[in-house]
Amino acid sequence: MYTTDVNVFNFELYRRYDKEIPLIFENNSVRVNFLGHTLSSEIWNKERSKKYCDFQVTVTNAANGELTLSLNSTQTTALPDFAYYDLKDNSGTQEKNLLTGTIKVSEGRTSWQL
């Protein structure tokens, strides 16, 4: 299905804004088939001792390895300036890490609205 190597993808987002990250998984130029798989993604501090929140993982095209990670504005507001995340395949008897990385959080709009 896919290699056991964990891919690294670092990104930035703005606090107090929604964030969507579309992803496509391939192995040797062949799309990964996620039919029947359960994917999850969590955001933690570096030591993995404090969990901040979960990404919503939406598989948009399972047969072609397409999915989207999403956070809403309430979740991005609660994140520290730097956080760490993992995307895991929890299917079958083993949990496999598919993607990991850092999230740099910058200030977005002010918390008050007119």
Side-chain angles (χ1 to χ4, degrees):
M1 183 177 132
Y2 42 76
T3 65
T4 56
D5 296 332
V6 177
N7 296 299
V8 176
F9 176 64
N10 302 320
F11 64 92
E12 297 182 34
L13 59 79
Y14 288 103
R15 195 169 276 120
R16 290 180 285 283
Y17 281 88
D18 295 343
K19 179 69 174 182
E20 287 191 354
I21 304 163
L23 300 168
I24 298 173
F25 282 82
E26 294 182 347
N27 183 21
N28 296 323
S29 299
V30 176
R31 297 276 181 105
V32 172
N33 186 340
F34 285 126
L35 287 172
H37 290 254
T38 303
L39 306 174
S40 65
S41 185
E42 302 171 334
I43 301 174
W44 295 82
N45 65 350
K46 185 175 183 176
E47 297 76 24
R48 300 299 200 268
S49 60
K50 180 176 181 179
K51 181 178 164 181
Y52 298 112
C53 62
D54 295 325
F55 275 105
Q56 178 178 329
V57 180
T58 304
V59 179
T60 54
N61 186 336
N64 287 304
E66 298 176 19
L67 58 101
T68 300
L69 301 179
S70 303
L71 294 171
N72 63 41
S73 60
T74 301
Q75 292 171 306
T76 63
T77 298
L79 291 175
D81 292 344
F82 286 96
Y84 300 81
Y85 77 98
D86 300 298
L87 173 65
K88 297 178 181 181
D89 181 346
N90 302 300
S91 303
T93 58
Q94 294 182 340
E95 181 176 80
K96 296 178 183 176
N97 285 335
L98 301 178
L99 192 65
T100 191
T102 60
I103 304 168
K104 180 183 178 200
V105 182
S106 299
E107 284 303 316
R109 62 181 173 231
T110 59
S111 59
W112 59 274
Q113 299 294 316
L114 296 176

